[in-house]
Amino acid sequence: MKKTYILAIDTSCDDTSVAVLRNDNVLSTVIASQEEIHQPWGGVFPRLARRAHIENIDATIELALKKAQLKEWSKIDAIAVTYGPGLAPCLEVGLLKAKELSEKHNKPLIPINHMEGHILSPFLRNSNGKYYINNLPQVHYPLIALTVSGGHTDLVWMEGVGNYRILGETLDDAAGEAFDKIARMMELGFPGGPILEEIGAKGDPSKIDLPLPMAKKPNYHFSYSGLKTACLYLIRDLKEEHQENFPSLIPDICASAQEAIVDSLLLKLKRACRNMPPSLVVIVGGVSANKRLRLKARKILKKLNIPVAFPEKKFCTDNAAMIGLAGYHRFQRGEFLEDFSGVDRSPSITIEKANGFVFGE
Ligand code: KG4
Ligand code: ZN
């Protein structure tokens, strides 16, 4: 059967990312990181991010094609691009470029919901056709996806590509945002998740008591504003009490904050899995790289006898390979556009808007 070649672009947040796929096999993936640009601000600065996307996008596309050893555009069957959710000024850059290239090379366009990409990310294969993950469970539907990133914390019921229902979501901050903000309170750097994880590994989570967010609420929602405030007061009080010895407490604070975030995620995941057992659980998005989350999730799901899949580490955070995989599935279903003039970026689109074949808020 003829293979499908997809060029995929993601500029939803702070990284300019381009990948080339042959079916579900990643031929190349290139990321122009903006970490250095945003580090001094302790968060992503949309105006700076947009400027960097504009500066980097052409070279990133060129390099991805070169690494995939595709010398001519004629081989590419379609262009997949993230059109939401994400930062509007950033999404615009990728979408405009994708439209420009689609027109220039006469290729259909596949607008992709960024969260659909995250959910499919464990199922990417390398250029030899092997899954990146050893012993990856088979994809069986229905599955429950826990999508945990800097912008999202959702529990999603998925019956197939293009068939999603949100069971629960965050009422305020996302889990990744909570990691980032708590790290910032102690001036540990950005992004906070991996830093907090590394420092927390040297600490003891039982030494400091923090509230377990939303534990008593009988639903599938999440909330991190209470934990954030508790951390703010805790850090202020411990600084006052311990003065120059405060830094020695940082590992325990990190370990406790991580434990509270991880436990609050798993509490709701467990509840959903008990009430409506899925055939598979996937845990995806930037926070799914967290080792403590992986360890505890595996233990809980083993007891429930439900297989769990995580993405390869480099595909946890934002990348265009996952957008290419979603694009490949959409292309197989004939879900691509020859006339894409009506497609616009949709910064706050939900995963449920990826149901069927519709574009827009
Ligand atoms: O999926 P992602 O790259 O971007 C969004 O779509 O938001 O996720 C970024 C988030 C950041 O908040 C970052 O702190 C968090 O993922 N993160 C982690 C880890 N690695 C990245 N959080 C906890 N532990 C990690 N190891
Ligand atoms: Zn993301």
Side-chain angles (χ1 to χ4, degrees), residues 10 12-13 85 114-115 118 148-152 285-286 316-319 322:
D10 183 274
S12 58
C13 192
H114 181 80
M115 301 319 289
H118 272 303
V148 268
S149 69
H152 285 84
C316 290
T317 42
D318 289 349
N319 65 87
M322 66 186 196

Side-chain angles (χ1 to χ4, degrees), residues 59-247:
T60 313
I61 292 170
E62 205 172 301
L63 188 57
L65 286 168
K66 195 169 162 204
K67 281 192 164 178
Q69 295 183 332
L70 286 188
K71 294 192 186 72
E72 346 128 34
W73 270 88
S74 59
K75 263 219 148 165
I76 300 283
D77 292 289
I79 299 173
V81 62
T82 302
Y83 77 108
L87 300 170
C90 301
L91 289 165
E92 254 163 40
V93 179
L95 188 57
L96 269 175
K97 183 54 73 180
K99 284 183 173 184
E100 179 194 313
L101 292 171
S102 288
E103 225 156 63
K104 183 170 169 197
H105 300 287
N106 198 20
K107 306 289 175 192
L109 189 83
I110 317 174
I112 297 292
N113 184 305
H114 181 80
M115 301 319 289
E116 182 167 77
H118 272 303
I119 292 175
L120 296 173
S121 63
F123 304 103
L124 284 161
R125 296 178 199 259
N126 65 21
S127 57
N128 297 320
K130 291 236 157 50
Y131 285 121
Y132 285 91
I133 308 292
N134 291 330
N135 308 318
L136 184 75
Q138 289 277 318
V139 193
H140 283 305
Y141 297 111
L143 66 76
I144 288 182
L146 175 63
T147 60
V148 268
S149 69
H152 285 84
T153 306
D154 294 334
L155 261 183
V156 179
W157 180 259
M158 174 182 184
E159 298 199 358
V161 172
N163 189 337
Y164 305 94
R165 184 157 61 89
I166 296 174
L167 302 174
E169 61 199 337
T170 181
L171 305 179
D172 38 61
D173 288 351
E177 211 175 346
F179 271 108
D180 294 339
K181 285 181 176 167
I182 295 168
R184 194 156 64 203
M185 290 173 198
M186 294 178 277
E187 292 164 32
L188 300 178
F190 175 82
I195 300 170
L196 213 112
E197 169 172 26
E198 198 188 326
I199 301 175
K202 297 175 208 127
D204 178 353
S206 67
K207 285 217 179 129
I208 287 169
D209 233 10
L210 281 169
L212 183 55
M214 300 289 276
K216 294 202 178 84
K217 295 272 190 298
N219 55 26
Y220 303 122
H221 295 315
F222 308 92
S223 163
Y224 294 101
S225 61
L227 178 67
K228 207 175 57 185
T229 311
C231 285
L232 194 68
Y233 290 138
L234 173 86
I235 291 165
R236 187 196 61 188
D237 293 349
L238 289 177
K239 268 185 179 166
E240 229 170 74
E241 196 182 326
H242 295 267
Q243 303 279 333
E244 67 274 15
N245 286 332
F246 172 75

